[in-house]
Amino acid sequence: MVTWNKKSNEEVADPTQLDVDHELPPSEGEETQAAATTGDVELEKLRKERDQYLDRLARLQAEFDNFRKRNAREQQDYRDYALVEALKGFLPILDSLDRAAKSGSTDPAQMRSGIELIDRQFHDALSKLGVQPIEAEGQSFDPNVHQAIQMEETDEAPDNTVIGELQRGYRIKDRLLRPAMVRVARGK
């Protein structure tokens, strides 16, 4: 602040006020100390942020591990439940076999009809599970679904045609469970 000296008719500076235009820069010690304080604050802020990220990472890892364990448990429960449902379809077949064994019948026609009934029950239970037999006899040989056990020279069927089924093959939906074991025609 500037005051006016009435005696000399001059401006006089107030000694308690600083002259901004002519002020000396702060000493190096003061500047370094201010920068160090600012740096310490920044460093502490970064450490807190790092600790928050590490804590969050640990929590996410634990959460993912729990999810993985829960998912494995649920899959096992589902497989167990699916197996139970599949086995329930085979219990009537087992009951029929038990009844046939206890019947003591010696009549071959009655035994045959009982076996045919059980066979039909078995195929129905497999069909409910999506298992279907593979058609083989009379079909062209397909190495994806047929397993050639024997090649027979014959004029009765075209070359590479299945002429006999030794063991039936099965598939579940589009996946092969077991290939059909077959005899294949070979031209003379």
Side-chain angles (χ1 to χ4, degrees):
M1 174 185 254
V2 178
T3 57
W4 195 260
N5 187 347
K6 293 181 183 180
K7 291 181 189 177
S8 62
N9 211 10
E10 295 177 331
E11 290 182 24
V12 179
D14 185 1
T16 59
Q17 296 295 322
L18 295 176
D19 184 7
V20 179
D21 294 334
H22 299 87
E23 185 177 323
L24 292 175
S27 67
E28 284 185 23
E30 291 175 4
E31 192 175 277
T32 308
Q33 188 178 13
T37 305
T38 306
D40 288 344
V41 170
E42 289 279 330
L43 184 60
E44 190 59 34
K45 180 180 175 186
L46 289 173
R47 282 184 181 150
K48 284 182 182 178
E49 189 175 342
R50 178 203 60 197
D51 291 344
Q52 287 175 345
Y53 283 131
L54 289 176
D55 183 57
R56 185 172 179 205
L57 175 65
R59 289 176 188 274
L60 286 174
Q61 285 175 333
E63 186 177 323
F64 181 72
D65 192 42
N66 290 338
F67 166 76
R68 197 171 32 85
K69 288 176 184 176
R70 184 176 54 249
N71 194 22
R73 213 174 26 250
E74 288 173 357
Q75 285 179 353
Q76 185 61 43
D77 289 347
Y78 177 76
R79 281 191 295 268
D80 291 346
Y81 179 73
L83 182 61
V84 166
E85 290 302 311
L87 291 175
K88 280 183 182 179
F90 290 103
L91 291 178
I93 300 166
L94 183 61
D95 293 338
S96 295
L97 284 171
D98 289 340
R99 279 192 300 274
K102 290 178 183 177
S103 75
S105 175
T106 57
D107 181 21
Q110 193 177 19
M111 293 281 277
R112 180 176 178 83
S113 75
I115 290 172
E116 287 173 351
L117 174 66
I118 293 170
D119 183 59
R120 195 172 26 247
Q121 284 179 321
F122 212 109
H123 284 285
D124 288 345
L126 288 174
S127 178
K128 286 178 184 176
L129 294 173
V131 177
Q132 297 297 323
I134 295 172
E135 296 297 323
E137 200 155 343
Q139 302 292 318
S140 180
F141 177 75
D142 180 359
N144 295 317
V145 293
H146 301 135
Q147 182 178 356
I149 299 300
Q150 185 179 10
M151 298 288 285
E152 283 187 24
E153 290 186 12
T154 183
D155 292 331
E156 296 176 11
D159 203 24
N160 284 338
T161 301
V162 175
I163 56 173
E165 183 178 61
L166 304 172
Q167 185 179 53
R168 185 174 282 173
Y170 292 93
R171 74 175 77 221
I172 183 165
K173 298 184 174 121
D174 292 334
R175 179 174 271 172
L176 182 69
L177 285 177
R178 179 178 79 186
M181 292 185 182
V182 297
R183 292 187 348 248
V184 181
R186 180 173 47 192
K188 288 185 178 183

